[in-house]
Amino acid sequence: MQEILSKVVGAVNTALWDYLLIYALLGIGLFFTVYLGAPQITKFGAGFKSVFGGLFSKKEGEKDHQSLSQFQALAVAISAQIGTGNVAGVATALTAGGPGAIFWMWLSAFLGMSTIFAEAVLAQKYRVVSHGKYIGGPAFYITHGLTNKIGRTNARFLSGLFSIALIIALGFIGNATQANSIAGAVNVAFGIPEVAVGVILAVAAGSIFIGGINRIANVAQFVVPFMAVVYILCSVVILFMFSSHVPAMINHIFVAAFNPEAVLGGAAGIGMREAIRFGVARGLFSNEAGMGSTPHAHATADVAHPALQGMAAFVGIFIDTILVCTATALIILLTDANTLGLQGAAITQQAFTIAFGGWGAGLLAVCLTFFAFTTIIGWYYFGESNIHFLFKGKFLKTYRGLVLLAIVLGTMGKVDLVWSLSDMFNGFMVIPNVIALFLLRKEIKAVYDDYLNQVKSGREVSYQYEFHEYHEK
């Protein structure tokens, strides 16, 4: 049965990724890069300053319990972005697409910065207030933004399709993927049974889920910076250890991006299509640009203008893909761990073992556990936002219980099938979101132009939010 399912899912992924989504994601990223004047370049410094410049400053008055700070919202977004995609996903891209996949991952990340900017702007513009909290995301901006353009029925269909796909893709399949990688790494490093790891993860995650977005944000804002810094420092150490091989390895990445046979030989069976497909697919799984997931976090931020959160969003992609994913790729390629016939996170774990000896596997297991666990709690929240959208506050406890069950069951699955299912449902999320982004392009540009005009005039940046009615029983 599992073999049949693998073949069916593989066929669907081939159709989705080889012939549709690669071009859609790169195309929408290129479109917004040109249409908006490359904000990921022109506003890159402003984005970092906006996020980190006032990190330690305190606002006057009482804390706004409806929203998160800009840094908290970004931390929740990055907590979802930095997960197994950065460890197991990059490793899978290298084995399936060769070193050239990393170049296409970089390119998709650069273009994705403009896409995620657009997503965050819309999430802010069309967010709603529910039970005293800001919530938003593609289902909300599809419904409120597209109803007058394509009709209420069509808008509701697209938003419903997105919500259902996200709940399955991230809340269930995605979190099973995260748990699968954690359990495998911990089992190799410490000999703990996979199912036991799954139970421990479920208990820990459940204790955070019940605290809502504020508890998730409080965990994310402390764990995310720490885990990213530790992982990058480990990567820097490995780079120094293998520094003589770095120039040749960088050259291999660029050559293999356009001519894999020149690096790998014809027997490898990896062509340019595979390099592009797996680079873009794993890049998306990691940074989630165009997928419509992180806008749920960005909608909660308390900022003066939607464009400011858009800039925070592309800072998140830079941290996730350009820094963390690149670190993983360099570690694997420098140690040749991708040539040993391993799969998923085991490849990166072997790279750490080659570099650091006996304690390398344990070090990677700890890093991966933090990465994937924060992704689990981030993805849970994204799913919860869509449960609110679909069912007006009902079935939250049922959803929470099913997510915890998926975490446990995910530790028992086959790695290839879990990743393939994840790719498929991620693809189902992308379609309605990309359609909405393109149809709402003028609204995105109007918001961004409003921000640019205020900055140019020297006025204090502000925006008149119009909250849509949203009633839950």
Side-chain angles (χ1 to χ4, degrees):
M1 178 62 71
Q2 201 170 59
E3 289 183 5
I4 295 174
L5 181 60
S6 294
K7 290 181 180 179
V8 172
V9 173
V12 172
N13 281 338
T14 297
L16 276 175
W17 288 103
D18 286 8
Y19 300 104
L20 177 62
L21 296 183
I22 283 177
Y23 304 105
L25 288 168
L26 293 178
I28 198 72
L30 179 61
F31 171 78
F32 277 115
T33 297
V34 176
Y35 187 61
L36 299 177
Q40 68 268 53
I41 297 176
T42 61
K43 296 300 177 183
F44 186 75
F48 264 89
K49 183 178 179 180
S50 177
V51 173
F52 299 108
L55 184 59
F56 301 105
S57 64
K58 295 183 179 179
K59 294 182 179 181
E60 296 180 3
E62 296 295 322
K63 181 180 178 180
D64 180 4
H65 292 287
Q66 291 186 162
S67 60
L68 305 180
S69 69
Q70 187 179 39
F71 178 75
Q72 284 179 315
L74 178 61
V76 173
I78 294 178
S79 74
Q81 290 169 312
I82 299 182
T84 58
N86 301 76
V87 178
V90 173
T92 304
L94 286 170
T95 55
I102 303 306
F103 171 84
W104 297 107
M105 187 178 290
W106 290 336
L107 179 62
S108 68
F110 172 76
L111 297 177
M113 287 181 180
S114 64
T115 305
I116 210 165
F117 174 88
E119 291 177 293
V121 165
L122 288 179
Q124 281 272 316
K125 177 178 172 63
Y126 290 105
R127 68 187 180 181
V128 302
V129 177
S130 173
H131 295 298
K133 304 286 186 182
Y134 293 138
I135 60 172
F140 296 90
Y141 59 68
I142 290 172
T143 298
H144 298 300
L146 292 185
T147 294
N148 292 333
K149 295 179 181 292
I150 63 175
R152 178 176 175 81
T153 300
N154 291 330
R156 291 292 294 181
F157 171 76
L158 284 179
S159 60
L161 174 62
F162 174 85
S163 289
I164 292 170
L166 182 141
I167 291 167
I168 296 173
L170 302 188
F172 303 145
I173 301 295
N175 280 335
T177 303
Q178 302 298 320
N180 184 288
S181 292
I182 292 175
V186 171
N187 177 259
V188 170
F190 306 111
I192 302 174
E194 285 92 337
V195 176
V197 175
V199 172
I200 295 170
L201 287 174
V203 171
S207 67
I208 296 174
F209 293 169
I210 60 176
I213 183 59
N214 292 96
R215 184 173 297 179
I216 291 171
N218 287 334
V219 172
Q221 70 177 334
F222 289 109
V223 175
V224 168
F226 173 76
M227 70 181 187
V229 169
V230 169
Y231 190 75
I232 291 171
L233 286 176
C234 290
S235 305
V236 170
V237 170
I238 295 175
L239 283 175
F240 276 108
M241 293 172 64
F242 294 88
S243 59
S244 62
H245 301 290
V246 171
M249 182 267 300
I250 295 293
N251 180 66
H252 281 183
I253 290 175
F254 284 95
V255 172
F258 301 96
N259 185 16
E261 289 81 3
V263 173
L264 302 171
I270 297 175
M272 185 173 170
R273 178 181 291 275
E274 285 74 21
I276 296 174
R277 180 203 162 180
F278 286 98
V280 174
R282 292 295 176 250
L284 168 67
F285 187 84
S286 178
N287 64 53
E288 305 178 25
M291 200 163 74
S293 52
T294 57
H296 299 91
H298 295 302
T300 65
D302 179 22
V303 290
H305 198 284
L308 292 172
Q309 196 59 30
M311 292 186 288
F314 63 60
V315 168
I317 286 193
F318 177 82
I319 294 171
D320 169 82
T321 307
I322 305 303
L323 293 183
V324 180
C325 282
T326 298
T328 300
L330 298 183
I331 289 169
I332 293 172
L333 292 174
L334 287 171
T335 58
D336 287 327
N338 57 312
T339 64
L340 303 177
L342 300 173
Q343 291 184 339
I347 298 172
T348 312
Q349 196 160 31
Q350 183 61 33
F352 268 67
T353 299
I354 292 171
F356 296 117
W359 54 277
L363 177 60
L364 190 278
V366 172
C367 290
L368 179 59
T369 297
F370 279 108
F371 282 179
F373 183 74
T374 55
T375 296
I376 286 172
I377 62 176
W379 281 357
Y380 162 81
Y381 173 71
F382 300 163
E384 181 183 279
S385 295
N386 285 276
I387 293 291
H388 278 289
F389 174 79
L390 288 174
F391 303 112
K392 307 298 184 185
K394 296 180 180 179
F395 306 117
L396 281 176
K397 290 183 179 179
T398 301
Y399 166 70
R400 186 176 299 157
L402 290 174
V403 171
L404 297 177
L405 179 62
I407 290 171
V408 176
L409 294 178
T411 61
M412 309 175 191
K414 185 180 177 183
V415 172
D416 286 346
L417 179 57
V418 172
W419 275 105
S420 295
L421 284 168
S422 180
D423 277 348
M424 183 176 72
F425 283 100
N426 286 343
F428 292 157
M429 287 173 56
V430 171
I431 295 170
N433 186 53
V434 168
I435 291 172
L437 290 175
F438 183 73
L439 293 179
L440 293 171
R441 62 192 181 279
K442 292 183 179 179
E443 285 84 345
I444 295 165
K445 193 172 192 306
V447 172
Y448 186 42
D449 285 345
D450 175 69
Y451 168 79
L452 293 177
N453 290 334
Q454 291 187 54
V455 171
K456 185 176 181 179
S457 68
R459 302 197 310 270
E460 183 176 355
V461 174
S462 64
Y463 186 78
Q464 185 63 46
Y465 286 91
E466 298 179 6
F467 296 108
H468 299 269
E469 292 186 10
Y470 189 75
H471 303 289
E472 291 187 359
K473 295 180 181 179

